Amino acid sequence: MELIFFYAAPLLIAGVAVAIAVTTVLRARERSQAWSSGLVAEARCLRIYTSTHRSDSGSRTVRHFVFEFTTAEGRTVRFEEEDLPGTIIEDDFVPVHYTAERPEKATAQEPSRTANLLGTTGILVFCGVVVAFCVGFMVVATTISDAMGDF
């Protein structure tokens, strides 16, 4: 039982934090590439829906926006993005930035490299703190265990 509490749980938590960090960096990179590509199209907001995530500390509602646009090559692309401004409603047309190689990774967010960098940095710092805490917890648990001779 001690093995699960002192090693498996912190490793699982640290693994989730690392996965969140990797996902955050990849999405930030995709947004940056889309903004840098220079390709812009008018997309129509097809649908808006919400999803609610509940936890012990409360709940969080996320707004999902589904967009459709046509690339310069004539390909119709549909993509989904979360947490855009509440001023966007269904049937609105908004500019989207995309890359020619992966138009399905488009973004309707306004180009803001500073906000992209700060948001990504904040999440990475938080994930780093979580991983450091988990590693520290396991080191302290091992040290105490070795001193007591229980493990």
Side-chain angles (χ1 to χ4, degrees):
M1 189 62 156
E2 292 85 10
L3 179 68
I4 291 172
F5 180 72
F6 292 116
Y7 297 104
L11 283 173
L12 178 66
I13 293 168
V16 169
V18 169
I20 290 170
V22 169
T23 302
T24 300
V25 168
L26 292 176
R27 185 59 188 141
R29 185 171 164 248
E30 289 168 353
R31 270 194 306 270
S32 182
Q33 288 174 342
W35 293 333
S36 299
S37 73
L39 298 173
V40 181
E42 286 292 314
R44 182 172 159 244
C45 180
L46 301 176
R47 180 173 177 231
I48 301 171
Y49 66 95
T50 60
S51 62
T52 303
H53 306 282
R54 291 189 169 84
S55 66
D56 293 338
S57 60
S59 64
R60 178 177 183 263
T61 300
V62 177
R63 292 170 38 105
H64 302 266
F65 297 81
V66 179
F67 294 101
E68 186 175 81
F69 69 97
T70 304
T71 66
E73 295 80 29
R75 179 178 165 203
T76 300
V77 177
R78 187 176 287 191
F79 73 98
E80 183 177 317
E81 197 161 14
E82 298 177 354
D83 291 331
L84 293 171
T87 55
I88 298 173
I89 59 173
E90 286 185 16
D91 290 328
D92 270 359
F93 285 88
V94 297
V96 295
H97 301 265
Y98 68 96
T99 61
E101 301 80 33
R102 299 187 69 194
E104 65 279 355
K105 298 293 183 180
T107 182
Q109 291 183 352
E110 290 291 324
S112 177
R113 297 188 192 293
T114 304
N116 196 30
L117 178 65
L118 290 176
T120 303
T121 302
I123 292 172
L124 290 177
V125 167
F126 175 77
C127 290
V129 168
V130 169
V131 170
F133 177 80
C134 290
V135 169
F137 181 84
M138 289 186 297
V139 168
V140 169
T142 302
T143 304
I144 291 171
S145 169
D146 288 347
M148 294 178 67
D150 286 34
F151 272 2

